[in-house]
Amino acid sequence: MQIGGQHYQKDIEPVEAMQAWMSREELQGFYWGNVIKYVARWKDKGGLEDLKKAHDYLERLINIQGE
């Protein structure tokens, strides 16, 4: 589920392309980096929306561990 703006709504979401094209390790790094980014900036920039984005990427990271 996309959190935030409408600017990414295409025929295929960029994260779906990454899931198809990146290795498992690359994808884990991408997810982890986004968790860090959104948690680090939530107070100063995006507030609750950034916490939701961090949560989404953390769930993706958790799910990839079960694969």
Side-chain angles (χ1 to χ4, degrees):
M1 174 181 77
Q2 178 183 325
I3 309 292
Q6 304 300 313
H7 56 286
Y8 289 124
Q9 291 189 350
K10 308 285 184 203
D11 290 338
I12 184 169
E13 295 292 326
V15 73
E16 292 170 351
M18 288 181 226
Q19 290 167 342
W21 300 336
M22 295 171 85
S23 71
R24 185 174 188 268
E25 291 76 22
E26 290 169 328
L27 203 53
Q28 286 175 326
F30 173 74
Y31 293 159
W32 177 232
N34 277 302
V35 169
I36 293 168
K37 173 179 69 174
Y38 289 121
V39 168
R41 75 179 200 184
W42 78 274
K43 287 188 215 176
D44 299 319
K45 188 172 181 190
L48 181 58
E49 186 171 295
D50 274 354
L51 290 176
K52 289 179 180 179
K53 289 177 182 180
H55 182 260
D56 177 58
Y57 281 108
L58 183 57
E59 282 188 345
R60 292 173 189 268
L61 185 58
I62 290 168
N63 289 336
I64 202 172
Q65 297 308 304
E67 294 178 356

